[in-house]
């Protein structure tokens, strides 16, 4: 986990404890005010989790009022950073464009919010927090932004590359410029600005915190190292650092230290407190120390700095799902991510502890999953992946939502139809539709949200969705808003809609492990015409080619199903899974099958060698299929798609493989995408990538 945290079961004492206690690590974009629907420049609507379908049509949106020019919703081709010494030139691909991504981090300085959105830094004018206005965005970085530190007119950005951090000029927030990459002497996993210094935490807890002077903002100077046990307060006006030591028994020693001279730390105060069962120091706020007790259920305690006998347990019930604790001006904020079978969500609970009794404020719903919480001048900012939620502490000290600024979030499916691109955020159960105004420039048309979308298939002028207990839904996407034209379900519901694909006017779908075949030639129908029971393919993909469907069943192998008569599919063979390989994906083209499998037996995490192998199988003779070639890939390449005479493989990297000669597959190119590519489609010479938290990435081959 990137950030050292106030874990219930881990020892506290890292730099990062200065701001939060985080248990786990899950635009655009105009604001959506809490009370009304507001325009979005990219596919953005406040999600409404409910069992009913919701949709937003572009013709219902109204322009966002702003005195400044509205920036283009889609950036022009992005190549400046990638053609400099800052990022080595990739000989195979160039970055043409990038949209959206996960809203992962937020920092506020004055009236500007600095937001990490996938691989870009965005700036928002939040002088009117009920109506945030986009100002600008950085170039595309090679990784996802994990942490942001801001000092005057410079931002320091830590991506998932732990070898250093990026430096950005933000003196003109509407024209962010990436200046340099600062390489550190040790791997790092956290940074923050505090009192004109940059605190950088090494990935190893055995290495002390690095402290840099920012007097020359583009050239940070190492002042020294602060012992790992010390960390600043989350209060930016507090000039002291703190350490927490668990003594023998139940005693905790809190030391307050003046670190103005990093080489000569001066002790300011020291206090010992006894907590039954032990606990951890959280933070200091308004002259009080806060602790987290782990004796039984975790609880929060408070003590006056000057009176060790004043330790008091707060009447706050901590959910097992809480992820971080923020304390500011005697309000405690608990960020929680709830996850259970078939449901998930996030919330922020706030508690006023200024009086003699703890008072709970109104709960703030935070979408499907939250990643960060930042408090600035009674305004609360929550990064939820799909959106930045802005709320305020009112005069009567209640928590009230003001607005919401949206992004695409995590994308895990993509396909192309005619001159349009479709992509899915399955966390948000939301589909997006874009028009290709030019090969590299996409214009948002529409987004559609259902209660549950697990799988999608694209047909002619139509799109099919399937989900947990949702059945199969069909929509005509040629009109805005989309029109639902047909639904297929069963009397007692369909628990699992697995893989779906459309081939020659026929829809093939895995329903609760059985193969179902539908005639979809009529736009107004989903008519079942055939089925094959006990295929036992619940979620694994299958491939259709030359009158046959190839379905992988774990523990059995590759089932061969004849579908020349779709009304009567027939299982005619099996390629046994004799080695117990774990299959990630498969594809079929001509007489050959391409299987993406783990390189060893059973689940990937049980292997010493975790590389993934693409296996080429000659299926000319279905009764005697043989493996004719292998292509070793890398760990975490987990999908494979046919693209003419080429294959697209993706995961940690995106691969383009030439299969003109199937027995000798050749790698044409590799590209380390900023996120984690989950799907891709080749259209002419452009590759459109659903890059997970990296949003929608467009690459061009450099042949």
């Amino acid at each position: 986990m990137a950030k050292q945290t106030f874990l219930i079961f881990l020892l506290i004492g890292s730099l990062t404890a200065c701001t939060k206690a985080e248990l786990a690590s899950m635009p655009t974009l105009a604001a959506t005010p809490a009370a009304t629907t507001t325009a979005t420049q990219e596919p953005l609507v406040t999600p409404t989790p409910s069992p009913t379908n919701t949709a937003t049509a572009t013709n219902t949106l109204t322009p966002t009022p702003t005195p400044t020019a509205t920036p283009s919703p889609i950036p022009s081709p992005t190549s400046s950073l990638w053609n400099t010494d800052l990022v080595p030139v990739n000989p195979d691909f160039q970055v043409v464009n990038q949209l959206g991504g996960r809203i992962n981090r937020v920092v506020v300085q004055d009236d500007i919010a600095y937001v990490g959105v996938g691989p870009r830094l965005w700036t928002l004018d939040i002088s009117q927090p009920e109506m945030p206005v986009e100002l600008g965005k950085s170039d595309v970085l090679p990784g996802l932004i994990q942490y942001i530190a801001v000092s005057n007119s410079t931002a320091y950005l830590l991506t998932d590359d732990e070898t250093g951090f990026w430096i950005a000029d933000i003196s003109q927030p509407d024209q962010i410029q990436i200046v340099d990459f600062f390489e550190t002497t040790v791997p790092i996993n956290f940074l923050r600005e505090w009192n004109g210094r940059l605190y950088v935490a090494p990935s190893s807890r055995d290495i002390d915190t690095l402290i840099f002077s920012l007097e020359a903002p583009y050239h940070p100077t190492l002042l020294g190292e602060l012992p790992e046990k010390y960390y600043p307060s989350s209060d930016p006006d507090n000039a002291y650092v703190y350490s927490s030591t668990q003594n023998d028994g139940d005693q905790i020693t809190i030391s307050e230290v003046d670190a103005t001279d990093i080489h000569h730390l001066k002790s300011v105060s020291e206090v010992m407190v006894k907590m039954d069962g032990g606990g951890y120091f959280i933070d200091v706020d308004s002259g009080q120390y806060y602790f987290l007790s782990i004796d039984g259920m975790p609880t929060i305690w408070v003590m006056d700095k000057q009176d060790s006998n004043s330790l008091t347990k707060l009447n706050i019930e901590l959910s097992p799902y809480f992820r971080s604790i923020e304390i500011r001006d005697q309000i405690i904020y608990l960020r929680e991510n709830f996850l259970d079978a078939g449901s998930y969500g996030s919330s922020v609970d706030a508690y006023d502890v200024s009086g003699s009794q703890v008072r709970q404020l109104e709960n703030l719903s935070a979408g499907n999953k939250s990643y960060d919480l930042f408090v600035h001048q009674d305004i609360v900012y929550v990064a939820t992946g799909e959106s930045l939620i802005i709320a305020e502490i009112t005069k009567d000290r209640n928590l009230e939502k003001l607005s919401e600024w949206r992004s695409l979030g995590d994308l895990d499916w993509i396909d192309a139809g005619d001159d349009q691109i479709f992509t899915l955020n399955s966390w948000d159960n939301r589909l997006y539709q874009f028009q290709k105004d030019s090969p590299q420039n996409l214009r948002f048309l529409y987004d559609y949200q259902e209660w549950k979308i697990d799988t999608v298939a694209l047909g002619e002028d139509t799109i099919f969705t399937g989900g947990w207990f949702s059945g199969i839904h069909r929509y005509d996407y040629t009109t805005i808003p989309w029109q639902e034209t047909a639904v297929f379900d069963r009397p007692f519901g369909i628990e699992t809609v697995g893989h779906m694909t459309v081939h020659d006017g026929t829809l093939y779908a895995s329903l609760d492990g059985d193969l179902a075949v539908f005639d979809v030639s009529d736009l107004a129908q989903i008519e079942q015409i055939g089925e094959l029971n006990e295929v036992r393919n619940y979620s694994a993909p299958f491939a259709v080619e030359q009158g046959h469907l190839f379905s992988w069943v774990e523990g059995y192998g590759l089932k061969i199903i004849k579908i020349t008569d779709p009304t009567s599919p027939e299982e005619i063979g099996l390629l046994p899974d004799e080695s117990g390989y774990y299959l990630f994906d498969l594809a079929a083209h001509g007489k050959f099958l391409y299987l993406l499998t783990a390189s060893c037996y059973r689940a990937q995490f049980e292997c010493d060698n975790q590389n993934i192998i693409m296996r080429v199988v000659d299926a000319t003779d279905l009764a005697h299929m043989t493996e004719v070639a292998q292509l070793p890939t890398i760990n975490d390449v987990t999908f494979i798609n046919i693209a003419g005479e080429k294959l697209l493989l993706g995961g940690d990297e995106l691969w383009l493989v030439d299969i003109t000669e199937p027995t000798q597959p050749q790698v044409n190119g590799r590209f380390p995408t900023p996120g984690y590519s989950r799907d891709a489609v080749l259209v002419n010479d452009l590759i459109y990538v659903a890059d997970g938290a990296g949003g929608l990435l467009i690459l061009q081959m450099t042949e």
Side-chain angles (χ1 to χ4, degrees):
M1 185 164 52
K3 184 178 177 183
Q4 304 297 334
T5 60
F6 293 115
L7 300 181
I8 296 179
F9 301 107
L10 294 182
L11 181 64
I12 217 170
S14 71
L15 160 69
T16 62
C18 60
T19 49
K20 302 175 181 62
E22 186 169 344
L23 293 175
S25 60
M26 204 216 87
T28 287
L29 326 207
T32 301
T36 61
T37 301
T38 309
T40 61
Q41 296 176 6
E42 283 183 14
L44 302 160
V45 191
T46 304
T48 307
S50 70
T52 59
N53 296 334
T54 59
T56 301
T58 40
N59 57 7
T60 63
L61 299 178
T62 55
T64 302
T66 169
T68 60
T70 302
S72 170
I74 304 300
S76 56
T78 317
S79 58
S80 57
L81 178 64
W82 294 77
N83 288 339
T84 68
D85 292 337
L86 295 180
V87 179
V89 175
N90 187 289
D92 307 314
F93 301 97
Q94 67 177 10
V95 176
V96 172
N97 208 334
Q98 185 277 337
L99 289 73
R102 177 190 297 172
I103 297 179
N104 197 48
R105 198 64 55 184
V106 57
V107 171
V108 175
Q109 177 179 268
D110 300 326
D111 288 334
I112 306 294
Y114 300 87
V115 188
V117 184
R120 293 183 192 259
L121 176 68
W122 282 74
T123 50
L124 303 178
D125 181 345
I126 43 90
S127 56
Q128 299 181 35
E130 67 278 1
M131 188 65 68
V133 176
E134 301 169 9
L135 295 176
K137 53 188 171 293
S138 73
D139 205 340
V140 181
L141 294 173
L144 305 177
I145 294 177
Q146 303 295 334
Y147 293 99
I148 303 169
V150 174
S151 177
N152 299 319
S153 60
T154 308
Y156 304 89
L157 312 172
L158 176 63
T159 66
D160 29 24
D161 177 1
E162 296 186 345
T163 62
F165 52 86
W166 294 88
I167 302 174
D169 178 358
I170 55 173
S171 58
Q172 299 183 62
D174 59 341
Q175 298 180 33
I176 304 171
Q177 299 294 323
I178 302 297
V179 175
D180 203 355
F181 181 80
F182 186 93
E183 188 172 350
T184 53
T185 56
V186 296
I188 61 173
N189 68 359
F190 178 78
L191 55 76
R192 74 161 284 194
E193 186 276 341
W194 185 68
N195 281 341
R197 295 175 175 179
L198 190 66
Y199 284 63
V200 179
S203 301
S204 171
R205 292 177 64 94
D206 297 327
I207 303 176
D208 291 336
T209 300
L210 307 176
I211 310 298
F212 292 90
S213 167
L214 299 178
E215 290 185 6
Y218 297 164
H219 304 282
T221 303
L222 183 65
L223 294 176
E225 298 179 1
L226 184 69
E228 185 268 341
K229 66 179 181 177
Y230 291 103
Y231 45 89
S233 163
S234 61
D235 183 355
D237 297 325
N238 188 335
Y240 297 139
V241 297
Y242 297 83
S243 72
S244 169
T245 305
Q246 184 86 41
N247 303 322
D248 293 337
D250 298 332
Q251 282 191 337
I252 302 173
T253 299
I254 306 299
S255 299
E256 187 176 44
V257 174
D258 184 344
T260 304
D261 183 348
I262 198 67
H263 300 291
H264 299 88
L265 303 180
K266 297 180 180 179
S267 177
V268 177
S269 67
E270 187 172 278
V271 63
M272 287 194 301
V273 59
K274 186 176 185 300
M275 297 187 68
D276 293 337
Y280 304 116
F281 172 67
I282 299 176
D283 206 349
V284 58
D285 175 75
S286 303
Q288 295 181 310
Y289 287 138
Y290 289 84
F291 303 88
L292 183 68
S293 167
I294 58 171
D295 184 22
M297 289 296 292
T299 53
I300 299 176
W301 296 69
V302 62
M303 184 191 77
D304 189 286
K305 286 178 58 177
Q306 309 302 324
D307 184 3
S308 60
N309 295 318
S310 64
L311 184 66
T312 304
K313 178 181 176 181
L314 296 177
N315 185 25
I316 297 176
E317 183 177 347
L318 289 181
S319 160
Y321 303 105
F322 91 89
R323 290 296 177 265
S324 70
I325 302 174
E326 180 93 13
I327 306 172
R328 186 65 59 86
D329 297 331
Q330 296 186 293
I331 294 182
I332 297 176
Y333 303 89
L334 300 179
R335 183 172 61 85
E336 300 181 346
N337 285 337
F338 171 81
L339 178 63
D340 201 354
S343 62
Y344 44 81
S346 181
S347 66
V348 174
D349 293 331
Y351 298 86
D352 183 352
V353 294
S354 60
S356 58
Q357 300 292 324
V358 174
R359 183 175 67 88
Q360 183 171 2
L361 282 60
E362 185 173 348
N363 174 281
L364 178 66
S365 176
N368 302 303
K369 188 175 182 180
S370 59
Y371 297 88
D372 194 22
L373 184 148
F374 190 90
V375 182
H376 178 69
Q377 296 180 349
D378 291 333
I379 304 294
V380 181
Y381 302 83
V382 186
T384 75
E386 289 78 33
S387 66
L388 177 69
I389 294 176
I390 304 178
E392 72 169 341
I393 300 297
T394 61
K395 292 182 178 180
D396 56 355
R397 293 178 74 82
N398 270 313
L399 188 60
E400 181 178 299
K401 181 178 176 180
L402 295 176
S403 60
E404 185 170 3
W405 183 80
R406 293 194 54 83
S407 173
L408 300 178
D410 291 41
L411 301 179
D412 44 25
W413 172 87
I414 195 167
D415 206 347
D418 299 325
D419 290 329
Q420 298 180 348
I421 297 293
F422 300 83
T423 189
L424 170 70
N425 178 339
S426 61
W427 270 103
D428 203 26
N429 299 298
R430 192 182 296 270
L431 282 159
Y432 296 100
Q433 179 184 16
F434 295 90
Q435 178 72 38
K436 290 190 293 180
D437 287 340
S438 66
Q440 71 271 22
N441 286 322
L442 302 181
R443 173 169 50 90
F444 166 67
L445 289 180
Y446 189 65
D447 70 73
Y448 192 86
Q449 184 182 37
E450 282 188 13
W451 176 70
K452 186 66 175 170
I453 303 178
D454 293 324
T455 184
V456 183
L458 195 64
E460 184 176 358
D461 296 338
T462 191
I463 193 165
F464 300 90
T465 67
W468 184 66
F469 283 110
S470 297
I472 300 175
H473 295 253
R474 179 176 189 168
Y475 303 95
D476 177 359
Y477 64 69
T478 62
T479 61
I480 303 295
W482 293 356
Q483 299 298 316
E484 183 176 84
T485 60
V487 177
F488 177 83
D489 209 342
R490 290 172 175 167
F492 298 101
I494 302 170
E495 180 175 354
T496 303
V497 180
H499 189 66
M500 296 194 302
T501 189
V502 178
H503 186 78
D504 291 338
T506 303
L507 174 67
Y508 300 88
S510 172
L511 305 182
D512 290 336
D514 299 334
L515 174 66
V517 185
F518 302 90
D519 180 357
V520 293
S521 57
D522 184 344
L523 185 63
Q525 291 187 345
I526 306 176
E527 180 185 1
Q528 184 168 358
I529 58 174
E531 66 179 344
L532 184 62
N533 296 326
E534 302 215 356
V535 176
R536 298 181 183 175
N537 182 329
Y538 287 87
S539 59
F542 51 73
V544 176
E545 183 73 5
Q546 297 189 348
H548 294 87
L549 185 146
F550 302 91
S551 176
W552 181 268
V553 181
E554 189 173 354
Y556 289 84
L558 189 67
K559 287 193 174 186
I560 308 164
I561 300 170
K562 186 177 180 180
I563 55 171
T564 49
D565 180 2
T567 65
S568 184
E570 177 186 3
E571 186 175 327
I572 61 171
L574 175 71
L575 180 63
D577 179 20
E578 297 177 349
S579 300
Y581 293 118
Y582 180 85
L583 181 115
F584 293 93
D585 202 358
L586 80 161
H589 183 62
K591 300 289 186 180
F592 292 86
L593 303 175
Y594 303 88
L595 281 65
L596 206 56
T597 70
S599 59
C600 61
Y601 177 69
R602 302 185 69 181
Q604 183 184 6
F605 62 84
E606 299 181 40
C607 305
D608 293 330
N609 177 6
Q610 295 190 12
N611 283 349
I612 296 172
I613 303 293
M614 187 188 78
R615 305 176 187 275
V616 184
V617 175
D618 186 342
T620 303
D621 183 353
L622 294 176
H624 301 90
M625 293 191 295
T626 56
E627 183 176 309
V628 295
Q630 289 189 1
L631 179 67
T633 66
I634 59 172
N635 185 29
D636 280 346
V637 173
T638 56
F639 80 80
I640 181 170
N641 288 337
I642 299 292
E645 295 299 321
K646 299 182 186 296
L647 296 176
L648 290 169
L649 284 67
D652 275 348
E653 292 184 348
L654 185 76
W655 286 37
L656 186 67
V657 179
D658 189 330
I659 53 170
T660 305
E661 176 51 62
T663 61
Q664 298 179 357
Q666 300 293 320
V667 179
N668 282 166
R670 298 170 58 174
F671 188 85
T673 64
Y676 183 96
S677 58
R678 299 187 178 277
D679 200 8
V681 59
L682 176 65
V683 182
N684 299 322
D685 65 340
L686 294 181
I687 301 174
Y688 298 84
V689 185
D691 195 31
L696 198 165
L697 182 69
I698 305 177
L699 302 175
Q700 185 171 37
M701 295 178 288
T702 56
E703 295 180 343

